[in-house]
Structure formats: structure tokens, C-alpha cells
Amino acid sequence: MPIVESRLDTVTLYHQGARVTRLLSLDCSEGKPPTELEIPRLPLSLFDATVRVRVLSTDNPQADLSATHVRVGLWIPPRDAPLDTVDEAALRSLRQQVRTVDSQLRQLGWEMSILGGIPVPARPRPEEGKPPPPAPMGARIALEQFSQDGMQSRILEARTLREQWRKLNEEVAVLEEKMARASTAREVTAEDLYKSVHVQLRHGGGALRRVELSVEYFVPGARWAPSYQCRLSRDCRQVELVTRAIICQYSGEDWRGVKLVLSTAAPMSWTELPELASIRIGRAQPPPPARAGFRPPPKGATALFSDYDRDRKTLLRGSWAPEPYTLPALPAPADLEREDAPVFGGVSDALERHEDRRYQGSESLELGSPAGDGYQSDGSAMYSESEDEAVSPMETFMAAAPAPMAPPPPAPVMARPAMAVGAPASASPMRSKSVSRGGPGGGGAAPSRVGLEAVVFTHLRLSAATDGMRNRLQPVDARRFYLESLSRFQVEVKFDVMAVVAEAELRANSVAHLPLPGGTADVRAASGHFDFSYTADATVDVPSDNAFHSVALGTRTGEASVLYVTVPREDSNVYRQAQVKNPLAAPMLPGPAEVYVGGEYVLSTTLPSVPPRGEFKLGLGVEQAIRCARNTHFREARSGEKIVATTELWHDILIDVVNNLDREIVCEVRERIPQPAPNAEVVVEEGPVTPAWEFYAQDERGSVLEGGRRWRLTVPANGTSKLSAQYVVKLYANNELGGGNRREA
């Protein structure tokens, strides 16, 4: 089976998780593609049920090519060239020779210690009064010569043995190193494991020379949040909005040079399509019965196998036939970690133990005609090749559930798409830019892996006719195919591969629990009842390191205007407020923003949610070139000479706005006049106001302001504008306002 490398092309990053698209090319030298191929180097965290393989293009429009029978297995990188086989018998012989030489050296050392310890007798002493006896010089010399000759011969022999011992040890070390390297070459570690996609190609029609394919899959370990940079011109009439995304992914593969699409959708959530009931005029009818996800098989379906069973019994009576194949159950994880498991060929032995176990029947889906007209939320239909294709026993796998599996929830109809793919039931839909979620709450949490595979029609297989559950669909046994795909490499596995895959998924899912950076918001909650997508202008790089990275998406230019606001009653400063129009066709989600004016950094703020082509305001701080001065005048007068007289409190307000800029500005001056409390014997009347002002209740702040007024005027460049207003407070002459009659200081 040829192995075809793929390259990363597009990543669609959702609220949580991402759909990865890889592209690959096939060169068909013989005019037709291979019947089966393998796509390696895929992350362990991908959801097997979400894998899709599509035929994108061919060089011959008359040719008919489709991809089918998609399965996911395990793969390891190619190992080095096999080393020379080490002769273990020769190694044992060398080790024995080393031990023999070592024993001989010890024997020689013992003998030399004995020879070196032989004493030479001294000259005997004479008796008193007698001459000394003759000295045994010859014997003494002979004994000393014997000892010296023995020592010299053994030293030479020991020197030869030490050289022999050194050479033998070198040979042993070389063989041991070869054996260690050979063992390392056969051994696979958890870091070497990848997933791969096995797909079959069906070819018909004309000859082909080149084929373009794509493989898609969903990985859980990714999330994102928006951020912005607002770059205003010096006059604040143009804005460059730089949209960025803060992305964290821990899927197990680095995204290098990928086309990035960001989406607020939650693709792994199940959403029922709305069903509109007909409205009829007439007598009320009973409600229709609820539709089930799968219709029960027709009565007498087992009679379809009567001819097969009769002929099979006849063959079994007339000739020998092998025992019917019984689908095995999955081995427990502990079986792969037993102490008595062999060191080499662990995968093959695990498969043998897998085959030896007998299948213990469990509940499964009845095979029948699916009811309903459901499709995925992205509009693409789903199809299982098992409906019109005979599946051999080796291709039919069983689920690992020790307890009976409950029937899955109602699933949509599986219809044949334009291209045969391994399409999941609820995996990573491509939603349009603005798509209603079809229900409150947005679809809920993502289903578990087991629950997902239970409703994916392409992960169900029809049992063989020899099986007792031959009229039922059975879920694919992922563990079995994982072990089978590893056994072809003839490697040594000392760990539980399913535990490694589960650990990779757990590691990827940990991204969902990371706290978002400060100032950012959850895109799922911020997008409301609709989903939107944002496409990056250029390719990006996002490493798989479980850390947040800021990635530039693009720059859009829009219109802006500046409004100068002052409240001289409270502060004499004039503040800049930019009115910016959203240049995006999609809404702006809330997020942190850095604001620049004329290339200079001004401040950091948090932008609110802004609809497409909507407007938002940016506070830019104090404008030092514009000043405002407020002066007041107060006088008190009595109205009338009668007993019931009133006191009139006249207040004059004079405001000067000085513009020192080289351009005219639009300035909003906000003022407030006192308002009497309900049922108070006080009257407030406005006098002449130049120029006229308008009521202002500050509704945009969500806090009603009583007595608010404002001027909006254009101040010429290097000019001054004057404002004046007058109001009077009338009250009975024998009364006095709380805090004093003067309202303006």
C-alpha cells in the first residue's frame, strides 16, 4: 500500500477545536491510481469519526474517481536500514572466553604471589667453638633462580592473556552495541506514534495521470479570542483597523503556513433542524407520531438468509469447512501490559490475544431504512458504503463496550454525496457567515467520543452472514485496527497504545480549561444567536505549545470622525472622542484594543460588540490645544409688593471655547440646569440661550440625566466661540433653597 505525504493547507478554528484540511497529490504512472493508499503523520488527538477524504480534481474529466472505506490507524516514521543480525551464540561464546581468560589471569596472579613469597634460606650459623659450616650457595642460587624464572614466565603469560582479554572485551562490546542498536531500532516509543488514514479509491472511465485529494479531520485542542489595533490619522478622519486573534492550540501538530479561518460556531454540538408543521383549516387531527431515528427491520427479514443457511448446511455436511469466524471482543488494557508479554513482537502478540477472545454479544442498531430527511448543518449529506458493499469479516469490527450499548439518538438520513467521504454526523460543519443556531443555548456541550461514533453512520459496519448479529450494524472497533496497523511495522511496543491515544486527547482537551488573556471575551457568548467566520489575509504559523499567541488576521481601512466633548461645569478640559465605523463585513466581537493617533500610542481599551457596518466610540483623552472657560453671574430679585411675593434667582452662564488647532472642530458642550423635586414649590424657567441648545439625557450611558442640555457647534481654526445661557429659579419670598439660593458658583 503506497504511503502519500500530505501538507497542511487550511485550518478552521472554532470556539473550541479546529478542522484541519490537508492536501495531497497522486501521480498515476500507469493511468490509474492505487486501489488503496495511506496518509500518515496525523496527530493522535484527532477524532476518528470526523475524518473525510475528498477527490478535489483530476486531469481527465471523463474519469470517475471516488474515495471510500476510510479508516484510521496508527503509524510510525520509517526506521533506519535494518542492522546486521547479531549471532547471540557467538556473543555467548565470546563472553565465556572472557570469563576463562579472566580466570586464568587470577590463577597466574595467585601463582606469582606464591612464588614471590618463597624465602631464600640464610647462611647457617656455626656452633660455638667450631668453624663455620660450608654455605649452601648452589642451593640458594638454584632456589632464587627457580622463583625468578617462574615469575618471568608467568608475567609473560599474563601479558599475553591481558591482551587477549582486551581484544575479547572489545569484540563483546561491539556485538553488544550492535544488539542494543538493533533493539532500539525495533522499539517504538509513545513520541513516535502518529495516526494515519487508510482510504480506498474507486476508479472508472478514462486514464488518469494526476489526482488532487484532500483529507479533513477535527482536533479538540484549540481556541481563540479577538484583539484589535486602531490606528487613527492625525485628524482622526481615517482609521486602520488591524484585527488580530489570540490563539492557543495543543493538538499535537504545529500549524505552519496555513490558511486560517476563525469561526464562533461550536461544530461538535448536536442541533436538530427545525421542522415546520403544516397549517390546515378544518377538523382537528390527532398529532402525528414522533419519528424515530431508525425504522425497525421489516417482519420476516431473517427469512432472507434461509437459502444461504440451507446451502451452507449442505456444504458443511458434504465437505469440510472451516469453523465460522466469530468476532472477538477487545482485550482489556491490562492484557497489553502483562509481565509475561514478550519483549519483541508485542503488537502481534496483542493481536493474537485479541483474536483468542470470543465476542460477547451486545445490543446494536437494527438494520433498516433510516427515517427522516436530516442533513448536517453545513448542507452536506452523509453516506455509508456499508449499505451497498459486502464487508468481509476482517473488515467488520465490533465495539469494545462490556455492557449492552443503548441505541443512539435519532440521526439524520445518510445520503450519497458528490464524493464518497468518511463524513461524520456532527463533525466540524462549515457554517455560513451568518447562520442561526436553531435553538436557545447554542447546542450544548460537545458529545463524547463514544457518543459521537455511535451516531456516525460511516463508523458502522454490517456483520457477516455467518455472524449471529448479521442483520445489525456494529460500531467499528478502533483498538483492533490500531493494533493491526502497528503489527505491519514489526516493532516492539512496551506500552498501551490506546492509553497513549487517550492521553493525547486529554492533553488537547486541557486547552478548554485555560483562562483567556486579560480583556478578552468568550467568542461563543459574544456572538449571540448567530455564528460568523473571519478569514486571515495571509498564511500564519501557530505552534502546538499550549500557550496563547497573537496572530494578525488583516487590516481594513474605514471612515472615522472626531468629536470634542467638554463638561465645563465639572472640568475645563476638552476630551477627544473618535466615532469609528466598523470596516468589517462581519461584526466586531468584544476584545482588547491598542489605540494609536498619528502613529503615536495613546491608550489601551476594550472594544464593545459592534454590528457589521456599525459605529463605535473611542475615547482619546484630553486635547491640549483646545481650552474651555466657564463664568457665571448671579443676582437675586423680589417680584411684586404684595403679601404673596416671589424671589427670583437669576443665573447667567458664559462659556468660551478656544480652538488652537489649524482646522475647524466640532465641539459638544454639555450643561445642566437644576430641576425641582416633585411637588416642590419651586419653578425653574429658562431664559435666553445663545446659540440654542438641546435636551440631553445621556441615554447612551444607560443613566438618565435630568436637566441635561448640550450645544453642538463648529469652532473655526484658531478661533473662539462664545456661549451664553440664562435661567431663573422662582420661589416664595419667605422660603430659601437648601444650601443657599445661589445655584452657580
Side-chain angles (χ1 to χ4, degrees):
M1 177 172 51
I3 297 177
V4 182
E5 294 287 346
S6 60
R7 61 178 178 86
L8 281 169
D9 181 70
T10 306
V11 173
T12 302
L13 184 56
Y14 296 100
H15 163 236
Q16 287 186 9
R19 187 184 70 230
V20 180
T21 302
R22 287 175 170 264
L23 301 181
L24 60 148
S25 301
L26 285 177
D27 293 326
C28 309
S29 57
E30 300 179 356
K32 60 179 181 179
T35 58
E36 187 174 2
L37 59 89
E38 182 179 8
I39 306 169
R41 299 185 188 276
L42 304 182
L44 290 176
S45 62
L46 70 85
F47 282 176
D48 296 359
T50 62
V51 176
R52 305 179 181 185
V53 179
R54 289 189 174 95
V55 178
L56 297 181
S57 63
T58 60
D59 60 349
N60 187 355
Q62 305 300 326
D64 181 18
L65 184 64
S66 60
T68 182
H69 203 61
V70 177
R71 297 176 297 174
V72 179
L74 294 179
W75 183 83
I76 60 175
R79 322 298 282 182
D80 296 334
L83 301 173
D84 296 336
T85 304
V86 178
D87 188 355
E88 295 186 5
L91 180 61
R92 288 195 298 270
S93 176
L94 286 175
R95 288 174 176 171
Q96 181 60 40
Q97 293 179 35
V98 170
R99 288 192 292 269
T100 301
V101 173
D102 187 68
S103 177
Q104 291 175 355
L105 285 173
R106 289 197 299 270
Q107 178 68 25
L108 289 177
W110 177 74
E111 291 177 358
M112 285 190 292
S113 64
I114 293 178
L115 290 175
I118 296 177
V120 177
R123 181 176 182 176
R125 293 182 179 182
E127 297 181 2
E128 185 177 355
K130 293 182 180 181
M137 184 60 67
R140 293 175 61 191
I141 293 175
L143 180 59
E144 189 172 349
Q145 187 65 35
F146 169 78
S147 176
Q148 185 177 0
D149 292 344
M151 291 285 291
Q152 288 295 329
S153 63
R154 284 167 176 76
I155 289 174
L156 294 176
E157 185 178 357
R159 185 178 301 169
T160 303
L161 289 176
R162 277 197 294 269
E163 182 66 20
Q164 183 181 357
W165 182 85
R166 184 185 63 80
K167 292 181 179 181
L168 289 174
N169 274 287
E170 288 179 355
E171 295 179 9
V172 169
V174 170
L175 291 181
E176 288 178 345
E177 183 181 359
K178 287 184 178 181
M179 179 173 289
R181 286 189 299 176
S183 177
T184 304
R186 293 193 304 267
E187 183 179 353
V188 61
T189 62
E191 289 74 16
D192 296 330
L193 275 185
Y194 293 89
K195 282 187 177 180
S196 64
V197 171
H198 300 245
V199 59
Q200 294 180 358
L201 298 178
R202 292 180 177 178
H203 175 229
L208 294 173
R209 291 189 303 273
R210 189 172 182 82
V211 179
E212 299 290 336
L213 301 175
S214 72
V215 56
E216 298 178 359
Y217 51 87
F218 186 86
V219 290
R223 63 187 307 190
W224 70 282
S227 65
Y228 307 93
Q229 283 185 355
C230 293
R231 299 183 176 272
L232 295 163
S233 59
R234 178 63 66 181
D235 59 359
C236 297
R237 297 183 183 272
Q238 294 288 330
V239 61
E240 284 188 355
L241 182 66
V242 181
T243 56
R244 305 184 68 87
I246 302 175
I247 300 176
C248 176
Q249 71 103 353
Y250 207 21
S251 62
E253 63 177 349
D254 294 335
W255 299 338
R256 301 295 183 187
V258 299
K259 304 171 186 175
L260 183 64
V261 179
L262 301 176
S263 174
T264 62
M268 299 301 289
S269 60
W270 180 269
T271 301
E272 294 286 349
L273 295 178
E275 189 172 331
L276 302 179
S278 60
I279 301 177
R280 302 180 181 180
I281 300 176
R283 188 186 299 273
Q285 301 293 327
R291 296 194 305 175
F294 291 88
R295 296 194 187 104
K299 294 182 178 180
T302 55
L304 297 175
F305 296 91
S306 58
D307 294 340
Y308 173 83
D309 294 337
R310 183 188 65 250
D311 295 341
R312 184 169 179 274
K313 290 180 180 179
T314 301
L315 291 174
L316 290 177
R317 285 196 301 267
S319 61
W320 177 86
E323 182 183 355
Y325 180 84
T326 304
L327 291 173
L330 291 176
D335 293 345
L336 302 179
E337 300 177 351
R338 297 183 308 174
E339 296 180 356
D340 58 345
V343 176
F344 182 72
V347 175
S348 301
D349 294 328
L351 278 173
E352 292 177 3
R353 295 196 301 272
H354 187 92
E355 295 289 349
D356 291 340
R357 300 171 65 98
R358 293 301 180 182
Y359 171 69
Q360 301 173 0
S362 63
E363 294 295 331
S364 60
L365 301 178
E366 293 284 351
L367 176 61
S369 301
D373 297 322
Y375 290 88
Q376 298 183 83
S377 55
D378 62 349
S380 63
M382 292 165 290
Y383 171 70
S384 173
E385 293 295 337
S386 302
E387 294 181 306
D388 61 351
E389 174 182 325
V391 182
S392 64
M394 289 300 294
E395 295 172 339
T396 306
F397 306 127
M398 306 305 297
M405 183 182 69
V413 156
M414 312 302 171
R416 181 185 294 271
M419 302 173 185
V421 299
S426 58
S428 58
M430 171 59 77
R431 298 174 183 249
S432 61
K433 185 161 290 187
S434 177
V435 182
S436 176
R437 288 178 183 159
S448 64
R449 185 187 185 94
V450 177
L452 178 64
E453 292 178 351
V455 298
V456 177
F457 212 64
T458 55
H459 274 230
L460 300 177
R461 296 291 182 265
L462 183 62
S463 301
T466 56
D467 185 20
M469 308 186 69
R470 56 190 176 188
N471 64 333
R472 296 173 182 265
L473 289 174
Q474 305 291 343
V476 174
D477 180 2
R479 177 194 292 267
R480 176 190 173 89
F481 190 69
Y482 285 169
L483 296 176
E484 284 183 345
S485 60
L486 272 185
S487 63
R488 58 200 167 103
F489 292 101
Q490 296 297 320
V491 293
E492 180 182 352
V493 178
K494 296 182 179 180
F495 54 87
D496 183 4
V497 294
M498 297 303 293
V500 173
V501 174
E503 182 181 357
E505 296 175 3
L506 185 63
R507 187 166 52 248
N509 286 320
S510 65
V511 174
H513 305 291
L514 287 179
L516 290 172
T520 57
D522 184 83
V523 296
R524 186 66 172 170
S527 59
H529 295 283
F530 295 90
D531 293 329
F532 306 91
S533 64
Y534 308 84
T535 304
D537 293 344
T539 58
V540 301
D541 296 341
V542 183
S544 175
D545 57 0
N546 201 28
F548 283 96
H549 301 271
S550 182
V551 176
L553 300 181
T555 302
R556 299 292 183 270
T557 303
E559 301 175 357
S561 60
V562 64
L563 176 66
Y564 295 90
V565 179
T566 179
V567 186
R569 180 189 181 94
E570 304 295 337
D571 189 0
S572 60
N573 290 320
V574 179
Y575 295 86
R576 293 178 297 177
Q577 191 176 79
Q579 191 84 10
V580 182
K581 186 176 182 180
N582 179 13
L584 304 178
M588 290 176 56
L589 302 176
E594 298 175 353
V595 182
Y596 297 82
V597 177
E600 297 180 356
Y601 173 77
V602 176
L603 53 87
S604 295
T605 185
T606 301
L607 297 185
S609 296
V610 184
R613 305 301 178 185
E615 294 184 349
F616 62 95
K617 295 180 180 179
L618 282 177
L620 303 180
V622 176
E623 177 56 68
Q624 301 293 345
I626 304 175
R627 308 301 299 174
C628 180
R630 180 178 185 269
N631 298 301
T632 61
H633 176 70
F634 169 75
R635 60 187 175 86
E636 184 174 341
R638 184 181 178 89
S639 175
E641 299 295 337
K642 298 180 180 180
I643 298 176
V644 182
T646 59
T647 299
E648 296 179 350
L649 310 176
W650 293 90
H651 297 79
D652 297 297
I653 303 174
L654 300 176
I655 299 175
D656 294 335
V657 180
V658 180
N659 177 20
N660 295 320
L661 297 174
D662 295 334
R663 63 181 185 276
E664 67 177 17
I665 64 168
V666 176
C667 185
E668 181 177 299
V669 182
R670 297 175 182 175
E671 191 55 62
R672 185 180 185 183
I673 62 175
Q675 296 295 305
N679 302 323
E681 296 178 348
V682 178
V683 177
V684 179
E685 297 178 355
E686 293 184 17
V689 179
T690 305
W693 60 16
E694 62 183 12
F695 288 93
Y696 173 63
Q698 70 173 19
D699 294 332
E700 72 277 5
R701 298 176 62 89
S703 176
V704 178
L705 176 68
E706 296 183 0
R709 304 291 188 269
R710 69 179 175 184
W711 288 280
R712 180 167 290 192
L713 66 154
T714 301
V715 184
N718 298 312
T720 302
S721 295
K722 294 183 177 294
L723 309 174
S724 64
Q726 185 183 71
Y727 66 90
V728 59
V729 180
K730 296 181 180 181
L731 67 158
Y732 290 115
N734 59 341
N735 290 338
E736 185 179 82
L737 295 177
N741 288 341
R742 184 167 183 170
R743 297 291 93 189
E744 301 297 335

